[in-house]
Amino acid sequence: SFGGGFYGKGIAPERQAQIFTRFYCEPEVHDKPGVGITIFLASQKPTKMAADISPIEALGYRPTHKTVKERKAGKGKVIARLSLEQFTKDKKRTAVVLLSLAASLSVYLCIVTMLDSQAARTIVSNYMDTDMVIQNDTACKEKSEDRRDILDEAFVKSIKENAGVSEVHSMIFAEITVPWEPDFAEMWMKEFYAKWMSIPYSKEKDEYQNHPENFGSSLIGIDEQEFDYLNNSLEHPINKGDFRSGKACIVYRNGLDLADADIIGKNVTCALYEDQQTTKTFTIEGVTDENYYTALLGYPPTIIASDQVVKTFANNPITLKTSIKYRKEYDRDTEQEILALLEENDNAKDFSWESKIEDADEIEKAQGNMPQLGISLLVCTMVPVLTWIVLEKNGTVVERIKGVE
């Protein structure tokens, strides 16, 4: 033939003779009947497939491993039926898509929850969850003659009469001394000097024993609601009746390395700073680390007692701070009315305050667009990841394009 002749021209005559002899003369497998039967049987299915395909279909024929079944359109809700068929047609792909969507939704909810937990209104939380705390700045001045009770009953009453205010709690205090005694006072002062002072306690022990007025401290008075709040936060809650009667007190630890067991159960005696002969003894039943209950932080301990006991014991206790809770949380109108009262007061320059609304505004300003940015980054990250997962499961991009052609 032409092909054989053309092919033979490129082969040496000796090699052509070897090929001819080997193919036509050597009795190998070509003359065995099993080979012919195998070829015949193997060609049955391809022959049948080729016979069923029209010439036009044969022009675009692509090998497939699945038998395509023809289905009639039928009657009824076509859109719903077609949607269901597509949903169940490839169960692996459907499972991958559903799992991907579930995973992305879970991550989205986690991110949103995390961002919401860092929202300004979630972070801000004042004492007793109050909306505003007004401080008397004169109360903690070093000289007693400079201290004035500017948060008096008349001013506090004007705050209570505001329709937007639900609760008002005032904390009072009196300056005291804690005379030396060999048990609790001695233990406290040793630990205080070891913790906070650069000089040893032994050098000032004599002065403390003979002149306790040089070592002032504070007696804090709180009302019943404030006691309930504080008592719930204590590791060892105390008896409410003992506290209100003046038998028991709570001590502010002031960062000392003293365990509750070292303090609870001991007696502490205090004396009025202006009258050392007027004394009162408490049994310490609780210890707190909350510095909200402090005024003049001296070397001796700060003692917290019932406000009624403080009013009876001290001649002229001063209102240190007043906490206010609104009927509606973050009520800006009510806060503006209270701020107007402060500005109209003759002692306006001696007030300071902590506002939950102002703190929330500052935090929100500092955060900027962090929540929106976080959600946008999440969406931009998840879309390509999910697309890659689906395409990787169902074939590469090139294969998907070829399937459309």
Side-chain angles (χ1 to χ4, degrees):
S1 65
F2 174 79
F6 180 82
Y7 177 74
K9 290 180 180 179
I11 302 177
E14 297 84 358
R15 182 57 180 162
Q16 292 184 30
Q18 292 177 2
I19 294 173
F20 179 83
T21 304
R22 184 179 180 86
F23 187 81
Y24 291 100
C25 301
E26 294 184 8
E28 292 186 357
V29 298
H30 302 287
D31 57 348
K32 294 181 180 180
V35 175
I37 296 174
T38 302
I39 295 174
F40 173 77
L41 294 176
S43 63
Q44 293 299 305
K45 186 173 182 180
T47 303
K48 185 176 180 181
M49 291 176 60
D52 294 336
I53 297 175
S54 65
I56 296 178
E57 291 176 330
L59 294 175
Y61 173 74
R62 296 180 61 85
T64 179
H65 300 287
K66 296 182 180 180
T67 303
V68 180
K69 297 181 180 180
E70 295 182 358
R71 296 184 181 181
K72 296 183 179 180
K75 298 180 180 180
K77 299 179 179 180
V78 179
I79 296 178
R81 182 164 51 79
L82 291 177
S83 300
L84 180 61
E85 289 178 358
Q86 291 296 322
F87 188 77
T88 58
K89 184 177 181 180
D90 192 335
K91 295 181 179 180
K92 290 184 179 180
R93 181 178 62 183
T94 302
V96 170
V97 172
L98 292 178
L99 289 175
S100 301
L101 291 176
S104 61
L105 180 60
S106 300
V107 174
Y108 173 79
L109 292 177
C110 290
I111 296 296
V112 170
T113 303
M114 182 183 68
L115 293 175
D116 287 343
S117 67
Q118 300 300 314
R121 293 195 176 190
T122 306
I123 296 175
V124 175
S125 179
N126 289 342
Y127 167 76
M128 288 182 65
D129 201 27
T130 53
D131 292 276
M132 177 181 280
V133 177
I134 303 175
Q135 176 91 25
N136 176 3
D137 293 337
T138 69
C140 295
K141 290 189 175 182
E142 185 176 357
K143 296 181 179 180
S144 59
E145 57 268 22
D146 294 333
R147 303 169 194 159
R148 289 173 292 119
D149 192 19
I150 58 178
L151 280 171
D152 54 16
E153 292 184 3
F155 184 76
V156 174
K157 182 179 179 181
S158 65
I159 296 176
K160 291 181 179 179
E161 291 175 348
N162 189 296
V165 174
S166 62
E167 296 181 25
V168 177
H169 304 283
S170 293
M171 179 189 298
I172 62 176
F173 103 100
E175 189 176 7
I176 60 170
T177 63
V178 178
W180 180 88
E181 45 85 17
D183 189 11
F184 174 71
E186 176 72 5
M187 177 192 69
W188 180 275
M189 295 300 282
K190 281 184 178 180
E191 183 63 28
F192 181 87
Y193 272 79
K195 181 73 174 182
W196 299 116
M197 304 300 291
S198 59
I199 59 176
Y201 170 60
S202 59
K203 288 188 176 183
E204 296 191 342
K205 180 177 179 180
D206 290 340
E207 182 183 358
Y208 176 55
Q209 288 178 319
N210 299 315
H211 300 281
E213 66 275 9
N214 295 336
F215 301 83
S217 189
S218 302
L219 176 63
I220 304 295
I222 59 177
D223 63 18
E224 185 175 351
Q225 289 77 18
E226 287 182 306
F227 166 76
D228 292 336
Y229 182 86
L230 173 59
N231 199 35
N232 288 333
S233 68
L234 299 180
E235 185 175 352
H236 301 94
I238 72 175
N239 183 274
K240 186 174 183 178
D242 292 344
F243 183 83
R244 296 193 64 187
S245 66
K247 179 181 177 181
C249 73
I250 300 171
V251 168
Y252 173 63
R253 200 190 313 265
N254 198 17
L256 302 186
D257 298 326
L258 292 173
D260 287 7
D262 298 329
I263 302 174
I264 293 176
K266 295 186 179 296
N267 294 328
V268 58
T269 300
C270 64
L272 288 177
Y273 188 83
E274 66 270 13
D275 182 7
Q276 296 292 310
Q277 302 304 315
T278 303
T279 63
K280 182 172 181 56
T281 300
F282 298 92
T283 299
I284 303 173
E285 292 189 5
V287 184
T288 181
D289 297 302
E290 177 56 64
N291 62 5
Y292 179 83
Y293 306 94
T294 59
L296 296 171
L297 273 177
Y299 294 8
T302 296
I303 301 173
I304 305 169
S306 168
D307 58 352
Q308 298 302 319
V309 174
V310 175
K311 289 177 182 178
T312 304
F313 174 67
N315 296 324
N316 298 300
I318 296 178
T319 301
L320 176 64
K321 60 183 70 173
T322 298
S323 60
I324 306 168
K325 189 172 185 178
Y326 306 150
R327 296 186 184 278
K328 180 182 177 182
E329 193 175 17
Y330 295 97
D331 189 343
R332 294 182 181 271
D333 294 335
T334 300
E335 180 148 312
Q336 290 301 318
E337 293 175 3
I338 295 175
L339 291 176
L341 289 176
L342 293 174
E343 293 173 357
E344 295 170 0
N345 193 282
D346 295 336
N347 302 295
K349 62 184 179 59
D350 295 318
F351 289 117
S352 62
W353 60 86
E354 294 180 8
S355 168
K356 185 190 293 187
I357 294 177
E358 292 180 359
D359 291 344
D361 290 342
E362 288 294 326
I363 294 175
E364 189 173 355
K365 182 179 179 181
Q367 288 179 337
N369 296 323
M370 185 183 69
Q372 294 85 345
L373 179 61
I375 294 175
S376 300
L377 290 175
L378 173 65
V379 173
C380 293
T381 303
M382 291 305 298
V383 168
V385 171
L386 295 178
T387 304
W388 178 83
I389 292 174
V390 173
L391 293 178
E392 187 68 19
K393 182 65 181 176
N394 296 276
T396 62
V397 177
V398 176
E399 291 176 346
R400 303 287 291 179
I401 295 175
K402 288 182 178 180
V404 176
E405 293 178 348

